[in-house]
Amino acid sequence: MTLCREADPRPDPEPGPKPPPARTPGPDPVTGQGPAPGPEPGAAPRPASGRRTPRVHPAWWVAAVAALTITVTGALSALPGLLVDPLHREFGWSRGSIGFAVSVNMVLYGLTAPFAAALMDRFGIRRVAAAALATMATGAAFTPLMTAAWQLTLYWGLLVGLGTGSLAMAFAATVTQRWFVRRRGLATGLLASAGVVGQTVFLPGLAWITDHHGWRPAVVTVALAALAVLPPAVALLRDHPADAGLAPYGATAPVPRPAPVPGAARRALRVLRTAARGGAFWLLTAAFAACGASTNGVLWTHFTPAAHDHGMPVTVAATLLAAIGLCNIGGTVASGWLTDRSDPRRLLAAYFAGRGVLLVSLPVLLAPEVRPPMVGFVVLFGLLDLATVPPVLALCREHFGADSAVVFGWVSAGHQLGAAATAFLGGVARDVFGSYDVLWAAVGALCGLAAVVSLLVRRPAAQTGVICRSAQRVVRTGP
């Protein structure tokens, strides 16, 4: 434990120009926590070499390339909802067997994330991202050739699941952890919304292709999109600010590039073992599992066929999902802004409570045509859909520090397990009951439980402040 202490009065041993004087306290350049002098608002920090950081910090360019990569990942994640009915009609496969392949994809999407985060610490962001794009492009390219249900599980479940899981939110957490000290919540919100941008941009077009030309051209389209993003990812992604001789965004001094961490798999498991000893990890995982169940698992997988059951054309249902994604962008960015300024636990509870009410009301809103209440559902659910990501990641950083990206990967695995369970059980419910109404009610109740669980997570920041004040009293009263 590091006690509070006065600043070292000795002069800076490094020659060259000094950074501008601090006006407000800022976070520590390495951990993002604790008091440290911050730069003058609007001023760019100077590296040790004396070279001034460019007017637009390269961290934002790295974030832009990462967002483009996540956008394509979002397009692949949105496609299964369009494949359920075509595969059922062409091959006669049950919706349960199709849902099983989708659930395998979602489980691997989650379980891959913490190992991918550890691999990025070993081999770098660029190499892992390139390998992931190639893997999911391969899986998508082989999917149109399948003739049996097990091949859907192999190509889409295994290969696409591994590729998209490596570029999940743990990837975004690693980028923001390395490149940002300030505005981490905002950067996290932007990257989280990128996946929804992929759904928004691609989903209406993919629905039109599926409706007019069949499901195979739609799958080939997303495979080509993944291949198209591969060159810019290799050319522009940078592993660490030190590679360009710069400080992270918002830091007052350069941060040395950390040494590669060998044994990525062992490290991921070791971090899990350590995190699992505390209640915060399990509470966050449980809440995020409910998040996955109520978004990827139920809405993005079963909304289109459920709307079609009520007489709504597939292209209209896909357009509504795309509109949810469009609203999601604003909601996620706003949530990141709020997370920088508010208690993330209360934000989570509010998001889950609102989402639960919306899902329970969905069966009475579905109709052959789009009515004003459905428009309201689209807007509100879009604002709440991915808004949970910035506060969950902020809580992971508060509790787990330097290991937060790997821990968030494990928490995201819980998200995908919840999504996989509802993707599979939703298909089974439709086969058994002939309707999705039971599913909407069950997942809505689950969101209510997640709102309560979110409030049970303790915040270590308050405890740290008490320790620091106690340490100051010891210093003042000691000999």
Side-chain angles (χ1 to χ4, degrees), residues 316-346:
V316 175
T319 301
L320 289 178
L321 279 180
I324 289 176
L326 185 64
C327 296
N328 212 328
I329 299 169
T332 310
V333 174
S335 178
W337 184 85
L338 288 171
T339 301
D340 287 333
R341 294 161 173 79
S342 307
D343 185 344
R345 301 172 307 160
R346 295 180 180 179

Side-chain angles (χ1 to χ4, degrees), residues 61-469:
W61 295 112
V62 172
V65 177
L68 180 63
T69 305
I70 296 173
T71 298
V72 175
T73 303
L76 272 82
S77 300
L79 188 58
L82 301 177
L83 301 181
V84 175
D85 286 340
L87 294 178
H88 176 70
R89 289 194 302 266
E90 179 173 339
F91 297 106
W93 300 340
S94 69
R95 290 178 174 84
S97 63
I98 299 170
F100 175 76
V102 177
S103 68
V104 169
N105 174 286
M106 292 183 176
V107 168
L108 288 176
Y109 182 100
L111 293 179
T112 302
F115 294 97
L119 285 171
M120 290 175 194
D121 288 339
R122 174 67 178 89
F123 298 105
I125 295 173
R126 176 165 45 186
R127 292 181 181 178
V128 174
L133 286 168
T135 300
M136 63 187 188
T138 301
F142 275 103
T143 299
L145 306 178
M146 65 185 180
T147 57
W150 67 266
Q151 294 172 334
L152 177 64
T153 303
L154 174 62
Y155 300 146
W156 200 267
L158 179 62
L159 294 179
V160 175
L162 289 173
T164 54
S166 299
L167 299 175
M169 282 309 302
F171 167 61
T174 302
V175 171
T176 55
Q177 182 76 12
R178 292 186 181 186
W179 282 90
F180 291 86
V181 169
R182 292 190 175 182
R183 304 292 184 266
R184 275 182 179 167
L186 178 61
T188 300
L190 290 170
L191 291 182
S193 66
V196 184
V197 171
Q199 296 166 345
T200 304
V201 171
F202 282 89
L203 193 57
L206 293 174
W208 184 88
I209 293 173
T210 302
D211 203 30
H212 290 79
H213 301 286
W215 61 272
R216 288 179 176 84
V219 175
V220 171
T221 298
V222 293
L224 293 175
L227 287 177
V229 174
L230 185 56
V234 172
L236 300 176
L237 273 180
R238 290 292 178 267
D239 294 328
H240 196 276
D243 294 344
L246 298 171
Y249 180 80
T252 58
V255 176
R257 177 186 175 90
V261 182
R266 290 194 302 272
R267 182 188 173 221
L269 294 174
R270 184 175 64 253
V271 169
L272 171 63
R273 185 167 56 250
T274 302
R277 295 172 184 166
F281 172 80
W282 294 109
L283 291 172
L284 288 172
T285 301
F288 222 33
C291 177
S294 55
T295 53
N296 297 52
V298 64
L299 197 77
W300 293 100
T301 303
H302 295 295
F303 177 82
T304 299
H308 189 59
D309 286 346
H310 286 76
M312 184 180 294
V314 173
T315 51
V316 175
T319 301
L320 289 178
L321 279 180
I324 289 176
L326 185 64
C327 296
N328 212 328
I329 299 169
T332 310
V333 174
S335 178
W337 184 85
L338 288 171
T339 301
D340 287 333
R341 294 161 173 79
S342 307
D343 185 344
R345 301 172 307 160
R346 295 180 180 179
L347 292 176
L348 275 178
Y351 298 156
F352 279 123
R355 189 187 295 178
V357 171
L358 291 172
L359 288 173
V360 170
S361 65
L362 184 58
V364 300
L365 301 179
L366 290 172
E369 65 278 355
V370 179
R371 299 171 180 172
M374 176 55 72
V375 175
F377 173 89
V378 167
V379 174
L380 293 176
F381 198 94
L383 293 175
L384 298 176
D385 189 354
L386 273 181
T388 56
V389 173
V392 169
L393 182 51
L395 289 170
C396 285
R397 287 190 176 120
E398 288 182 4
H399 282 274
F400 306 107
D403 290 329
S404 60
V406 178
V407 173
F408 183 71
W410 285 114
V411 174
S412 297
H415 181 281
Q416 293 308 115
L417 289 174
T422 49
F424 172 64
L425 294 175
V428 172
R430 175 61 176 79
D431 291 335
V432 173
F433 299 105
S435 169
Y436 286 102
D437 292 354
V438 174
L439 181 65
W440 302 126
V443 177
L446 184 63
C447 287
L449 180 61
V452 176
V453 169
S454 301
L455 294 175
L456 298 178
V457 181
R458 292 184 178 181
R459 298 204 57 193
Q463 299 173 2
T464 302
V466 172
I467 293 173
C468 186
R469 288 193 295 272

